[in-house]
Amino acid sequence: NYHVVVLEEQGTIIATSISDYLALPNSAVIEFLAVTPTWRGRGLASSLLRFTEQLLEADARLAHARPLE
């Protein structure tokens, strides 16, 4: 599964992550995680990383009924 997460504030993109879950090896890749400079230092990247990891973990549980390897 391919995930694109976009965070907006008043119609402006302030952060994004792009990730991919790979079912056969039951693993995942976070390809990009970015926060616009004016929004850095607020913990947004950490929150976005946790959310992205949760999406990928959910993919693994759906595909294999177990966590990522």
Side-chain angles (χ1 to χ4, degrees):
N1 295 339
Y2 196 70
H3 298 281
V4 177
V5 179
V6 176
L7 302 176
E8 293 183 34
E9 175 68 25
Q10 297 180 358
T12 300
I13 296 172
I14 60 171
T16 188
S17 71
I18 298 174
S19 59
D20 196 14
Y21 170 70
L22 308 167
L24 289 179
N26 191 34
S27 63
V29 176
I30 298 174
E31 298 170 9
F32 297 99
L33 194 144
V35 177
T36 191
T38 56
W39 282 85
R40 293 180 185 160
R42 303 177 195 200
L44 195 56
S46 296
S47 295
L48 182 56
L49 177 60
R50 279 191 301 275
F51 181 78
T52 301
E53 289 172 332
Q54 290 170 355
L55 287 174
L56 297 167
E57 199 63 50
D59 286 342
R61 292 192 184 280
L62 284 172
H64 298 288
R66 67 177 194 259
L68 288 168
E69 295 177 358

